[in-house]
Amino acid sequence: MQHPKDRSPALHLSRRHVLAGGLAGTSLLLGAKALARAASADPTPRAEPALEPVQGPFVLTPLPWKDDALAPSMSANTLSFHYGKHHSGYVDKLNKAVAGNKKWDGLALTKVIELAAKDPADAGVFNNAAQTWNHTFFWASMKPGGGGEPTGRLADALKTSFGDFATFKKQFTDAASGLFGSGWTWLTMKEGKLAIEKTSNADTPIAHGGKPLLVLDVWEHAYYLDYQNKRADFIAAYLDKLVNWEFALANLAG
Ligand code: MN3
């Protein structure tokens, strides 16, 4: 929805990083707000074609790593459906839902989410806008060789908020395991402390003034091809092998 002249410095930065050889550092530097801007701007150049290009004012943000880079914790087969069909489908449906309605004209994706959350009549726009944003945030929450314990400021914040890393890990695992049906498990900053939050279906902390640092998608489509009904194994792989703590730290600082 943005015009080229409206591009923020952060987006220029992201383009330089793309040209410099990859998107891995992009989300790290951009943080949540800038990611949302990037998701609503023109298509970003990428090394490989998008799995399922989407035309329209909102674009499918490229994955920050190659589609086989998280295997075997998350396979290219899973990503071909999860990113190439599900995420892509949300972007496509969002573009159809906002087409021709001046209410959404020129709004960044995060603003569409905030506005649509206020009116039940806009549930279709909300669901697809929030799912578009949530998935972009989810991909950035993971990296090849990620997981394990963070160090530095984030380690200190986890200790202050949860007592120790093992307690954080248990509480996050319990929250993700116990989420009934489809939804998301988040690490957020809430009232000066780190917190674990759950949202159902498309709901997202940013619709309610929240400040997410990381997210795990616990919809069945996120893990069924790789783990079938064993959601606990998927949660363990996310925490032990995939979590991108640098992204969380960038969001904490942002
Ligand atoms: Mn999903």
Side-chain angles (χ1 to χ4, degrees):
M1 296 265 212
Q2 291 180 338
H3 296 292
K5 63 181 162 51
D6 296 332
R7 280 186 201 128
S8 65
L11 190 57
H12 287 298
L13 183 64
S14 86
R15 283 168 186 269
R16 275 207 304 278
H17 277 258
V18 170
L19 294 171
L23 278 154
T26 306
S27 49
L28 190 158
L29 288 163
L30 289 179
K33 285 179 184 166
L35 254 180
R37 279 199 299 274
S40 66
D42 293 342
T44 308
R46 53 176 287 142
E48 304 160 32
L51 294 171
E52 190 93 354
V54 171
Q55 301 300 320
F58 292 102
V59 300
L60 182 63
T61 303
L63 289 173
W65 15 255
K66 286 182 69 176
D67 64 0
D68 61 356
L70 302 186
S73 301
M74 184 177 290
S75 67
N77 190 32
T78 284
L79 284 160
S80 75
F81 287 94
H82 197 178
Y83 175 74
K85 303 291 182 190
H86 290 278
H87 189 183
S88 170
Y90 293 125
V91 179
D92 203 15
K93 286 179 197 149
L94 172 62
N95 283 326
K96 289 189 174 113
V98 300
N101 187 338
K102 290 201 182 310
K103 179 174 183 177
W104 315 109
D105 246 11
L107 294 183
L109 184 58
T110 50
K111 293 295 172 195
V112 171
I113 292 167
E114 287 169 19
L115 190 58
K118 291 176 181 160
D119 189 345
D122 291 325
V125 170
F126 177 80
N127 286 336
N128 289 296
Q131 286 294 79
T132 294
W133 192 91
N134 290 350
H135 280 92
T136 302
F137 198 81
F138 177 48
W139 310 133
S141 295
M142 301 180 288
K143 67 169 193 178
E149 285 194 48
T151 54
R153 188 179 160 194
L154 207 46
D156 294 343
L158 285 167
K159 192 174 178 187
T160 302
S161 306
F162 298 100
D164 55 38
F165 183 76
T167 304
F168 154 74
K169 195 172 168 183
K170 183 177 188 315
Q171 288 184 16
F172 190 94
T173 300
D174 288 349
S177 303
L179 195 151
F180 185 78
S182 296
W184 303 82
T185 304
W186 307 81
L187 178 65
T188 65
M189 178 59 108
K190 196 172 190 181
E191 293 160 6
K193 277 191 159 187
L194 301 183
I196 294 162
E197 296 185 59
K198 299 189 277 189
T199 58
S200 290
N201 300 315
D203 200 14
T204 178
I206 65 162
H208 318 288
K211 185 180 165 73
L213 307 187
L214 283 175
V215 72
L216 172 60
D217 185 342
V218 286
W219 284 56
E220 282 189 351
H221 67 225
Y223 60 88
Y224 226 81
L225 290 174
D226 292 329
Y227 300 90
Q228 294 78 49
N229 60 325
K230 298 187 282 284
R231 188 193 280 187
D233 290 357
F234 172 59
I235 298 164
Y238 173 81
L239 289 170
D240 294 339
K241 307 275 176 61
L242 297 176
V243 162
N244 184 347
W245 288 117
E246 288 87 354
F247 179 67
L249 182 63
N251 292 324
L252 183 67

